[in-house]
Amino acid sequence: MIDETTAKRRQPGELLTKNDAMRYARARTVKIPQTCKEIEEEAFLSNGKMITLLLPNGLEQIGNNAFRRNRLLREVALPHSICKVGSGCFSECEVLEAAYLSKQLKVIPENMFRSDRHLKKVLFTKDSQLETIEGFAFYDCNALEVILLPAGVQEIGDKAFYRCKNLKTVRFPKGLKRIGREAFNFCKVQRLDLPDTLEEIDKKAFFCCKELTKVVIPESVRKIGAEAFHGIAKLEVIEIRHDPEEIGENIANKPVRIRCYQGSKVDAYCQEYGYTVEYIEKQ
């Protein structure tokens, strides 16, 4: 929602409202005026004609659900002037295939690309300022295969990539601190290169990621949530070379072998939950 004080500060032409958007109702190509600084929430909601969207340099904000359910929109390129985008902004865009994100965008808000089932490409700039991916941001983006997260990302929210069934490659940047609950459920991630800054792997974070065969937990991790790696028949080994403060119930299927130090808290956890243990020699 647009703050009333902000709206009052806007000069004529700087705020594009729902009423303003009506003039583009039948346009195949929508070119937002150069004077525009902000697009109101739901301005282009359920637009059924737009194929091409041209956003101007100088645009700063886009409101909640502004382009939700734009059924023919194939690509979105956010100019680098954009610093804030509302929740659900490009969700349920049935044929959206590519998104190019602004370097000033610090938060990908909840539901931003939710249920964009043809989204294949999400690109960030090398100097991206992105810090947070909120919950459900890429929920059910079935066509997404690769996501190379930029260096500044610290948190991946709950269900951020839930049911991205073809997601095979994820770059987890150094600096990442938290992977949220059910963040990568049912993905096809084949390898986890988790950074040594990671502190929390929440409940069911990688549940049913069926292509994983081995997981090495960084020594920085303080919490491993319940069933974090459960439901993965191919998973053979989880290696934990330290004692996290918290380990939830049944972090993986029982056939999984857990490598740890003899006499450690992880060793005691394995005995309690019936996991096979492979002891690591202390150096």
Side-chain angles (χ1 to χ4, degrees):
M1 180 176 293
I2 296 172
D3 181 84
E4 290 184 7
T5 304
T6 301
K8 289 178 181 178
R9 288 203 308 266
R10 294 296 188 193
Q11 299 299 312
E14 292 186 342
L15 174 62
L16 191 149
T17 67
K18 284 188 280 189
N19 286 337
D20 296 328
M22 291 177 65
R23 74 177 71 134
Y24 304 101
R26 298 184 180 183
R28 298 290 186 176
T29 297
V30 173
K31 185 176 182 180
I32 304 299
Q34 290 292 325
T35 57
C36 183
K37 301 292 185 183
E38 185 168 359
I39 297 174
E40 188 176 52
E41 64 179 24
E42 300 185 359
F44 293 89
L45 176 66
S46 297
N47 183 295
K49 300 292 184 180
M50 186 194 310
I51 296 174
T52 303
L53 173 64
L54 302 175
L55 299 173
N57 289 321
L59 182 65
E60 298 170 357
Q61 296 185 40
I62 301 176
N64 298 341
N65 301 310
F67 296 94
R68 183 180 175 187
R69 289 202 296 268
N70 277 223
R71 293 183 175 88
L72 299 179
L73 183 63
R74 295 187 178 275
E75 180 177 297
V76 58
L78 300 184
H80 295 315
S81 53
I82 287 184
C83 56
K84 185 176 180 181
V85 175
S87 65
C89 184
F90 295 98
S91 65
E92 300 176 66
C93 292
E94 296 176 6
V95 299
L96 185 69
E97 294 183 354
Y100 303 87
L101 300 188
S102 163
K103 68 179 180 181
Q104 292 200 71
L105 194 65
K106 292 187 177 181
V107 177
I108 294 178
E110 61 181 10
N111 299 310
M112 182 169 176
F113 296 104
R114 180 169 180 157
S115 297
D116 290 349
R117 296 189 176 96
H118 286 83
L119 184 64
K120 298 177 181 178
K121 184 188 299 184
V122 180
L123 294 182
F124 307 90
T125 63
K126 290 183 179 179
D127 55 351
S128 171
Q129 298 177 26
L130 187 66
E131 297 176 355
T132 303
I133 300 173
E134 291 188 341
F136 299 86
F138 295 93
Y139 182 103
D140 202 22
C141 290
N142 288 338
L144 190 63
E145 295 185 7
V146 177
I147 189 85
L148 304 178
L149 299 177
V153 174
Q154 298 178 29
E155 180 173 0
I156 299 171
D158 298 348
K159 294 190 177 183
F161 294 92
Y162 186 93
R163 298 187 73 85
C164 291
K165 294 182 178 180
N166 289 296
L167 183 59
K168 298 176 182 178
T169 301
V170 181
R171 181 172 68 196
F172 297 97
K174 190 174 181 64
L176 181 66
K177 295 181 179 180
R178 178 179 182 265
I179 298 174
R181 179 175 297 197
E182 302 179 69
F184 291 93
N185 276 26
F186 304 103
C187 294
K188 283 189 177 178
V189 179
Q190 298 170 330
R191 176 174 174 174
L192 295 184
D193 292 318
L194 300 174
D196 59 9
T197 55
L198 186 62
E199 297 176 0
E200 180 178 350
I201 302 171
D202 211 335
K203 182 178 180 180
K204 291 188 174 182
F206 295 95
F207 185 84
C208 277
C209 288
K210 296 185 177 181
E211 299 302 315
L212 286 175
T213 58
K214 180 180 178 180
V215 174
V216 177
I217 305 295
E219 294 186 21
S220 56
V221 171
R222 297 183 290 105
K223 174 185 176 180
I224 305 173
E227 300 183 271
F229 302 97
H230 208 274
I232 308 174
K234 290 184 180 180
L235 185 60
E236 298 176 355
V237 175
I238 298 178
E239 187 171 302
I240 309 175
R241 290 179 172 264
H242 70 297
D243 282 328
E245 296 173 11
E246 180 182 340
I247 306 179
E249 296 181 355
N250 301 313
I251 59 170
N253 294 11
K254 286 300 185 294
V256 170
R257 306 190 307 277
I258 295 183
R259 292 177 182 167
C260 63
Y261 293 117
Q262 188 172 11
S264 65
K265 292 180 181 179
V266 176
D267 186 8
Y269 172 88
C270 292
Q271 307 308 322
E272 180 181 355
Y273 287 95
Y275 289 105
T276 300
V277 180
E278 290 183 358
Y279 292 125
I280 301 169
E281 292 185 11
K282 292 184 178 181
Q283 298 180 359

